[in-house]
Amino acid sequence: MAVRAVRGAVQLDRDEAGHMDEQVGTLLTAILERNGLTADDLISIWFTATPDLHSDFPAAAARKLGIGFVDVPLICAQELDIEGAMPRVVRVLAHIESDRPRSDIVHVYLGAAAALRKDIAQ
């Protein structure tokens, strides 16, 4: 097994904890499904959120999914406050164990967040 990294992002419509739970859950579920992963394949996940999101921690939303993230190390950080950057974005960098070559990893950018990485968004 190799260690690989999977990227992803989603833009929230509003800064509300319930909405963050829903959107982060959708993003993580898509990352797992599109890469054929389970929670056992995860090594760790870094979440970042833009400075305008402060209703909850994205990692807390991941824990609420109930799909085995209990013992996966999760951490949150704040994105740089860059003028003109897309607002209300949660980004993910997940470290995984996978037999897939790096070129076969599916990075998931949902909705408007696809504009952040047109080169790798799928």
Side-chain angles (χ1 to χ4, degrees):
M1 286 277 182
V3 174
R4 301 285 184 223
V6 183
R7 292 290 317 268
V10 64
Q11 183 183 40
L12 278 62
D13 296 326
R14 58 195 174 279
D15 183 25
E16 295 175 1
H19 183 59
M20 182 176 292
D21 291 348
E22 176 186 307
Q23 294 300 306
V24 169
T26 299
L27 176 60
L28 291 175
T29 300
I31 288 171
L32 293 174
E33 287 176 355
R34 294 180 192 182
N35 286 287
L37 301 169
T38 69
D40 288 337
D41 299 315
L42 296 169
I43 297 168
S44 64
I45 304 176
W46 280 83
F47 295 92
T48 63
T50 51
D52 51 1
L53 292 175
H54 36 74
S55 61
D56 204 357
F57 296 100
R63 297 259 188 247
K64 292 175 190 174
L65 281 175
I67 58 173
F69 289 160
V70 175
D71 61 352
V72 177
L74 309 176
I75 193 166
C76 297
Q78 186 175 19
E79 282 287 331
L80 296 172
D81 191 9
I82 304 297
E83 187 174 329
M86 184 179 289
R88 300 177 317 281
V89 175
V90 173
R91 290 175 174 85
V92 170
L93 174 62
H95 299 96
I96 63 168
E97 291 181 319
S98 177
D99 288 328
R100 287 181 177 218
R102 187 178 302 160
S103 60
D104 287 351
I105 298 297
V106 179
H107 304 283
V108 179
Y109 290 76
L110 300 178
L116 295 170
R117 288 299 306 264
K118 292 179 185 174
D119 57 327
I120 64 172
Q122 300 185 11

